[in-house]
């Protein structure tokens, strides 16, 4: 079974600065997908960024980028130029090639200080 | 059709009562998923449907839980004889059959068992 671990329960960052959230996972599959989701308080889960394991190039979406290290089974999220609206719970998730369920980590609460 | 809709948003019930939640997916999505999220934790997969067929069930889905998607459109999740441990956010998501593009979560139903 796949597992996803987020070892940082909480992180904080000053507005306009950069923060990196960590995620490691375990799988025996060679092809899979990794995701970062954002969940603001009492609001729905929103996809931040997606990485396909067969792609060596790290995914980037505006201020959000990942550092995908397949051999190390590591998938970190870097948020540049942090904004107050980035404050939320962030979840790392794993999806297999059956395109079914996602396996989530425990989450990291991100606080952005003005 | 702008997203995944869940009803009700909040439900408070007494221990031992039965509750039913509804999820309306994005209309063109064949797959529908149920997750459970306890406070401060990541979502845990419960079950998913492709059209009306229930393809996978988690061992978390005890005998007191049942999910249906009778016509391949909306889905219901019923919990019988609720227990305090059932208190959680129940999330629904939907996606196309292939790939994770468009995998969309609803806002969830928060269940409190008193």
């Amino acid at each position: 079974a796949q597992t996803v671990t987020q070892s940082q329960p909480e992180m904080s960052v000053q507005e306009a600065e950069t923060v990196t959230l960590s995620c490691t996972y375990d799988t025996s599959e060679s092809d899979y997908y990794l995701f970062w989701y954002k969940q603001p308080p009492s609001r729905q889960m929103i996809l931040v960024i997606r990485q396909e394991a067969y792609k060596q190039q790290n995914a980037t979406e505006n201020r959000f980028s990942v550092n995908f290290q397949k051999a190390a089974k590591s998938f970190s999220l870097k948020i540049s130029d942090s904004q107050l609206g980035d404050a939320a719970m962030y979840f790392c998730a794993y999806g297999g090639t059956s395109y079914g369920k996602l396996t989530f980590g425990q989450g990291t609460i991100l606080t952005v200080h003005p | 059709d702008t997203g995944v809709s869940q009803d009700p948003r909040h439900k408070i019930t007494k221990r031992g009562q039965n509750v039913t939640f509804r999820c309306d997916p994005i209309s063109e999505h064949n797959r529908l998923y149920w997750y459970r999220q306890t406070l401060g934790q990541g979502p845990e997969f419960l079950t998913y449907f492709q059209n009306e067929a229930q393809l996978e069930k988690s061992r978390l889905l005890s005998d007191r839980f049942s999910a249906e998607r009778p016509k391949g459109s909306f889905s219901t999740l019923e919990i019988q004889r609720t227990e305090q441990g059932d208190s959680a956010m129940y999330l629904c998501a939907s996606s196309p059959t292939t790939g994770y593009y468009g995998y969309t979560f609803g806002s969830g139903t928060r269940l409190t068992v008193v």
Side-chain angles (χ1 to χ4, degrees):
Chain A
Q2 293 77 28
T3 59
V4 178
T5 302
Q6 294 178 248
S7 58
Q8 304 157 316
E10 298 183 29
M11 292 287 284
S12 64
V13 64
Q14 291 293 131
E15 196 174 5
E17 295 190 347
T18 296
V19 65
T20 299
L21 309 184
S22 300
C23 173
T24 58
Y25 60 94
D26 190 26
T27 183
S28 58
E29 297 180 326
S30 59
D31 198 13
Y32 46 87
Y33 296 78
L34 296 166
F35 308 84
W36 278 98
Y37 279 89
K38 170 185 178 181
Q39 189 178 42
S42 301
R43 295 183 62 184
Q44 72 183 103
M45 197 82 69
I46 301 166
L47 177 67
V48 174
I49 199 164
R50 171 196 299 110
Q51 175 78 43
E52 295 159 4
Y54 69 88
K55 291 186 177 179
Q56 293 185 342
Q57 187 172 6
N58 289 325
T60 300
E61 289 286 343
N62 301 314
R63 298 182 296 107
F64 299 87
S65 61
V66 298
N67 183 1
F68 173 48
Q69 300 290 327
K70 191 172 184 179
K73 296 181 180 174
S74 170
F75 183 62
S76 61
L77 174 70
K78 185 172 80 171
I79 306 174
S80 304
D81 186 25
S82 296
Q83 300 176 358
L84 295 177
D86 295 333
M89 177 80 99
Y90 285 80
F91 292 100
C92 179
Y94 172 102
T97 52
S98 63
Y99 308 118
K101 68 181 182 184
L102 296 178
T103 301
F104 287 84
Q106 306 92 321
T108 297
I109 299 172
L110 178 65
T111 302
V112 181
H113 297 289
Chain B
D1 190 317
T2 57
V4 178
S5 177
Q6 292 189 246
D7 184 70
R9 291 294 305 275
H10 303 275
K11 178 71 176 179
I12 300 174
T13 191
K14 292 183 178 180
R15 189 172 51 190
Q17 297 295 304
N18 300 343
V19 294
T20 300
F21 311 139
R22 176 178 171 128
C23 172
D24 287 89
I26 292 173
S27 58
E28 60 266 30
H29 285 179
N30 295 328
R31 289 194 170 183
L32 185 148
Y33 312 82
W34 287 100
Y35 291 84
R36 181 174 69 187
Q37 185 179 21
T38 53
L39 199 61
Q41 299 297 314
E44 297 173 294
F45 169 77
L46 292 178
T47 188
Y48 88 91
F49 294 84
Q50 180 163 310
N51 299 313
E52 63 273 13
Q54 191 171 18
L55 295 189
E56 188 174 351
K57 290 168 56 174
S58 163
R59 57 182 170 79
L60 294 175
L61 212 66
S62 75
D63 291 345
R64 297 185 298 106
F65 288 69
S66 62
E68 293 183 343
R69 194 183 183 196
K71 297 182 180 179
S73 56
F74 72 91
S75 175
T76 58
L77 177 67
E78 180 183 16
I79 309 174
Q80 297 182 328
R81 305 181 303 281
T82 52
E83 302 172 356
Q84 286 191 323
D86 298 330
S87 296
M89 176 76 84
Y90 290 84
L91 296 171
C92 178
S94 71
S95 75
T97 302
T98 56
Y100 287 105
Y101 293 93
Y103 202 111
T104 304
F105 283 86
S107 297
T109 294
R110 180 166 296 284
L111 173 66
T112 302
V113 182
V114 298

